[in-house]
Amino acid sequence: MMISVLCVDDEPNMLYLSKAFLEKTGEFVVDTASSAQEALTRLQQTEYDIIVSDYIMPVLSGLDFLRTLRKQGNQTPFILVSCRGQEMEIVEAINDGLSGYLTKEGDPAYNFAMLSHRINQVVSLKRSEEGWKESEERFRFLYTHMAEGVALFTLIRDENGNPVDFRFEDVNLRYEEIFNYTADMVRGRCISDIIGYVPCLLACSSVVESKTPIFFEKFLARPSKYFSISVSPWLETGFAMIFSDITRRVKAEEQLRETSEYLQKLITHAGTPIIVWDKEGNITQVNQAFEDLTGYTQDDLIGKTIRCILPEHEAERLFSIIHLTSLGMHLESTEIPVRIKTGDIRTLKWNSANIMDNHGSLRATIALGVDITREKELEEENATAVFQLKRNLAELAILNDGIRNPLAVILACAEFQDETSYSRIMHQVWEIDKMIDQLDSRWIESEKILKFLEKHYRIGYTGKSGKYESSDLNQGSG
């Protein structure tokens, strides 16, 4: 960056040489003024990085020019060019804010080379100071307005060098809000004077000695909140303590933990078998009811594929149905058999729900089963009984017809008998006929009962298919 220079001298030749030499280096842009009054006028219109002024000038000397600028609040760096023998005046000028001075020697080239060097030194220093000041202001603003509370401390030691306390050096606005102490209330005071004891003394002293930061979480009775606290070394004997309020996070975690424990107890002690598997189909949890039903323990099943509890001859087909839950589908009253530890098969009706993570991805599937094995057995028994009843009715109808035909033959033969034998034969025939009529009546009643059962109780014979339907597997986000 080019350096802007205002050269002030009452000798035109010196102004010309100064401008020519300095601009020749390519580092400077030079304006000139032939008097201090002209320079003051220029300064009202233009800002310069530095002013170079001759000491001896009419009306206003270089020293008076400097004093006038400083009275006006102008802090532009100022170099005074003087002759030998004016050292006392230079000392006086330094007290008035002089940035540097140069004594004229015999060789002009040397003088201008020294002037160039001195200008670079002064301007670089000024820019560095401004940079540091700007940086300090930025960090001060950041420190003051941080979302975290910050306190700066100096470690206090006793005469034996042992840490005994720490003294407040400064706190930011957020610290004041958290603890209800202003910076003026605590600055320069020991923390034991404020709260009555010294918290984390050994930990904080270790940070000062090792220059290694530490982090921990702690509940503070005042202001009754949870904080994440970091302690970092600061200067030689101090440390910075930063407080982040994590009360909402901790309470949310506690609530989540309580909810999780409640749900875990609900699953564990539920009277219905429950099983959980991950998206690969590996079992991650079963409850006590599932253990009681199957005879397997959690240790027997955790980490194993769900295929291990399916009937071997149908394991792959049934697993393909179960694995559809990894695609976002769920089981809804789906009958899937389970092979228990004894090798027997139990039929369960399953309903499932998918458990998603924070990103909406499948984490696991939880399924609740209802044992319908006895229900299925009763259905088979009822169907078999109805089938047998229908078969008996059909045979009874055939039997009725079979009896009536021989009776008709007997009646025909009785016509050829004497009256006494005919009477006896007819009496027995009518007795048998009455019995057949009763059988017909009972057959009609049985037929009505069978139809009533089929209509109102859905009892009917369908045969044993030996197949398990999967039509109840419905798509859902479950």
Side-chain angles (χ1 to χ4, degrees):
M1 181 183 293
M2 299 283 282
I3 298 174
S4 58
V5 183
L6 175 61
C7 288
V8 186
D9 199 315
D10 61 328
E11 296 184 15
N13 291 334
M14 290 302 298
L15 288 177
Y16 173 78
L17 290 174
S18 298
K19 179 178 175 66
F21 183 88
L22 292 174
E23 290 187 343
K24 184 179 179 181
T25 64
E27 299 179 75
F28 309 99
V29 176
V30 181
D31 286 340
T32 60
S34 59
S35 66
Q37 292 87 342
E38 183 184 349
L40 289 170
T41 301
R42 278 187 173 276
L43 288 168
Q44 291 176 357
Q45 302 170 352
T46 308
E47 290 185 1
Y48 295 92
D49 293 320
I50 193 167
I51 300 169
V52 178
S53 176
D54 189 23
Y55 178 77
I56 300 174
M57 292 187 298
V59 184
L60 278 179
S61 68
L63 182 56
D64 293 332
F65 177 32
L66 171 64
R67 289 171 177 168
T68 301
L69 287 176
R70 296 301 184 247
K71 285 180 181 179
Q72 293 177 352
N74 189 321
Q75 299 298 320
T76 303
F78 197 102
I79 292 178
L80 197 60
V81 180
S82 65
C83 298
R84 288 189 178 277
Q86 297 173 329
E87 286 77 8
M88 293 303 297
E89 290 82 354
I90 295 300
V91 172
E92 188 178 352
I94 291 174
N95 294 331
D96 290 325
L98 183 67
S99 305
Y101 71 94
L102 187 67
T103 302
K104 294 179 182 179
E105 302 291 344
D107 185 358
Y110 173 78
N111 290 335
F112 287 121
M114 287 299 297
L115 177 62
S116 174
H117 176 67
R118 190 61 54 83
I119 290 173
N120 272 311
Q121 278 186 326
V122 172
V123 172
S124 295
L125 178 60
K126 176 68 173 178
R127 288 177 175 174
S128 296
E129 290 174 350
E130 289 176 347
W132 278 107
K133 183 178 180 181
E134 183 180 344
S135 178
E136 182 181 1
E137 289 175 352
R138 286 200 302 266
F139 281 107
R140 168 59 65 173
F141 182 86
L142 177 64
Y143 163 77
T144 303
H145 297 89
M146 284 178 65
E148 297 81 14
V150 182
L152 302 177
F153 295 99
T154 295
L155 188 66
I156 305 299
R157 299 180 183 272
D158 61 16
E159 61 275 8
N160 297 319
N162 299 316
V164 293
D165 211 333
F166 35 90
R167 181 178 64 246
F168 281 96
E169 299 299 340
D170 197 12
V171 298
N172 70 347
L173 291 176
R174 181 59 181 146
Y175 184 95
E176 293 179 348
E177 294 172 0
I178 292 173
F179 295 99
N180 202 27
Y181 292 121
T182 66
D184 292 337
M185 291 171 61
V186 300
R187 192 179 290 117
R189 297 176 62 186
C190 289
I191 195 167
S192 59
D193 296 336
I194 305 294
I195 64 174
Y197 66 99
V198 184
C200 310
L201 178 60
L202 294 179
C204 293
S205 63
S206 70
V207 170
V208 174
E209 293 168 0
S210 66
K211 304 300 181 186
T212 302
I214 60 173
F215 306 88
F216 56 92
E217 294 182 357
K218 189 176 180 65
F219 175 78
L220 300 181
R222 180 176 179 180
S224 188
K225 290 184 177 181
Y226 292 90
F227 290 91
S228 172
I229 303 173
S230 66
V231 184
S232 302
W234 175 67
L235 303 180
E236 276 301 311
T237 60
F239 58 91
M241 191 173 283
I242 302 176
F243 300 83
S244 298
D245 187 351
I246 58 171
T247 305
R248 290 180 62 184
R249 191 205 79 193
V250 171
K251 288 185 176 180
E253 289 174 350
E254 288 178 350
Q255 186 176 4
L256 181 62
R257 184 168 54 253
E258 290 173 0
T259 303
S260 178
E261 290 174 356
Y262 169 78
L263 293 176
Q264 188 60 49
K265 289 179 180 178
L266 191 64
I267 292 172
T268 301
H269 300 292
T272 304
I274 295 175
I275 183 171
V276 182
W277 62 84
D278 61 22
K279 58 185 179 181
E280 282 79 31
N282 297 318
I283 300 171
T284 59
Q285 184 179 357
V286 296
N287 70 344
Q288 185 63 49
F290 191 93
E291 292 180 337
D292 295 340
L293 173 71
T294 64
Y296 296 111
T297 65
Q298 285 221 40
D299 293 338
D300 294 332
L301 299 175
I302 299 303
K304 294 182 180 178
T305 174
I306 201 169
R307 292 183 182 89
C308 70
I309 61 170
L310 300 176
E312 292 182 0
H313 66 286
E314 292 189 288
E316 289 306 319
R317 184 181 69 83
L318 295 173
F319 180 78
S320 66
I321 296 173
I322 293 172
H323 195 59
L324 289 175
T325 58
S326 66
L327 303 178
M329 306 175 76
H330 64 270
L331 304 175
E332 185 174 326
S333 298
T334 305
E335 293 183 13
I336 297 179
V338 171
R339 178 167 53 85
I340 65 176
K341 197 168 186 177
T342 61
D344 295 331
I345 303 299
R346 308 290 294 185
T347 302
L348 281 80
K349 186 177 289 184
W350 293 97
N351 290 280
S352 72
N354 292 330
I355 303 171
M356 317 304 285
D357 60 21
N358 293 333
H359 304 290
S361 299
L362 178 68
R363 182 176 179 182
T365 299
I366 181 170
L368 180 148
V370 177
D371 187 1
I372 59 171
T373 305
R374 182 55 185 159
E375 180 183 328
K376 298 291 287 186
E377 290 173 351
L378 288 174
E379 287 178 0
E380 292 291 342
E381 291 174 3
N382 290 337
T384 301
V386 169
F387 174 76
Q388 187 61 46
L389 179 59
K390 285 184 175 182
R391 182 176 178 180
N392 292 344
L393 288 173
E395 291 178 354
L396 184 58
I398 295 171
L399 180 61
N400 286 347
D401 290 339
I403 294 175
R404 286 185 185 277
N405 291 333
L407 283 178
V409 175
I410 293 174
L411 285 174
C413 293
E415 294 292 335
F416 301 101
Q417 302 296 322
D418 58 51
E419 187 174 344
T420 301
S421 298
Y422 176 78
S423 176
R424 288 179 179 178
I425 292 171
M426 289 300 295
H427 176 74
Q428 295 301 319
V429 167
W430 294 123
E431 288 295 324
I432 293 172
D433 188 61
K434 285 172 60 180
M435 289 170 39
I436 294 172
D437 288 340
Q438 289 178 354
L439 285 174
D440 284 339
S441 176
R442 295 294 180 267
W443 181 87
I444 293 171
E445 290 177 359
S446 297
E447 186 73 20
K448 289 180 179 179
I449 292 173
L450 179 60
K451 289 181 178 179
F452 178 84
L453 291 175
E454 288 178 332
K455 178 178 180 181
H456 295 284
Y457 292 94
R458 297 181 181 178
I459 296 177
Y461 181 77
T462 58
K464 296 184 179 181
S465 64
K467 295 182 179 179
Y468 301 93
E469 302 298 328
S470 59
S471 59
D472 292 323
L473 186 68
N474 295 329
Q475 187 169 0
S477 60

